[in-house]
């Protein structure tokens, strides 16, 4: 069993930066693929980025490519999402998810953290 807790959200202005954290419990987390997703009001949840178990492979949605960076520190059981050049359209609840592979990445979910970007 893996429990995920997101933190780092907040209210910022367009152009600012935020770093989200996804802290996990469970010995298997360091071997898991981890993804970040987001859900804006009235919209479906969408994929943002994912990272493989050792950080060697990352993948981003086109909407955040070049602005967001996903990374992980397995010694701390934590995955990060560095968000730069934030835009109002990045406003959403951000969730992390984890699983043994890309196909099962959404096995475990956190409760989410709110990011609001004002114009």
């Amino acid at each position: 069993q893996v429990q995920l807790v997101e933190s780092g959200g907040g209210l910022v202005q367009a152009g600012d930066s935020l770093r989200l954290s996804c802290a996990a419990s469970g010995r298997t987390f360091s071997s898991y693929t981890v993804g970040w997703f987001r859900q804006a009001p009235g919209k479906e949840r969408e994929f943002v980025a994912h990272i493989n178990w050792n950080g060697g492979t990352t993948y981003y949605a086109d909407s955040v490519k070049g602005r967001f960076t996903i990374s992980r520190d397995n010694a701390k059981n934590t995955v990060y999402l560095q968000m730069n050049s934030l835009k109002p359209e990045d406003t959403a609840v951000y969730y992390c998810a984890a699983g043994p592979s890309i196909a099962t990445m959404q096995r475990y979910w956190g409760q989410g953290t709110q990011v609001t970007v004002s114009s």
Side-chain angles (χ1 to χ4, degrees):
Q1 188 75 9
V2 172
Q3 293 184 323
L4 306 174
V5 179
E6 301 96 334
S7 62
L11 172 63
V12 296
Q13 294 186 332
D16 286 350
S17 298
L18 277 176
R19 188 177 79 159
L20 305 183
S21 298
C22 173
S25 64
R27 292 176 296 175
T28 56
F29 181 77
S30 61
S31 67
Y32 278 12
T33 295
V34 179
W36 283 98
F37 296 79
R38 67 186 182 185
Q39 187 166 20
K43 296 187 177 181
E44 294 188 353
R45 189 173 297 184
E46 65 175 2
F47 166 79
V48 174
H50 71 68
I51 188 167
N52 76 328
W53 71 276
N54 66 355
T57 301
T58 58
Y59 187 79
Y60 299 90
D62 287 344
S63 59
V64 306
K65 200 173 295 183
R67 300 188 298 122
F68 291 11
T69 302
I70 190 171
S71 62
R72 69 190 298 162
D73 185 341
N74 283 341
K76 296 182 178 180
N77 260 15
T78 301
V79 170
Y80 305 98
L81 185 68
Q82 177 67 43
M83 306 187 296
N84 298 330
S85 302
L86 283 162
K87 304 175 181 180
E89 52 262 44
D90 294 317
T91 295
V93 178
Y94 284 71
Y95 300 89
C96 64
S101 66
I102 291 178
T104 58
M105 179 172 54
Q106 300 182 51
R107 178 174 295 181
Y108 301 103
W109 287 88
Q111 84 291 345
T113 186
Q114 176 70 47
V115 172
T116 303
V117 184
S118 63
S119 57

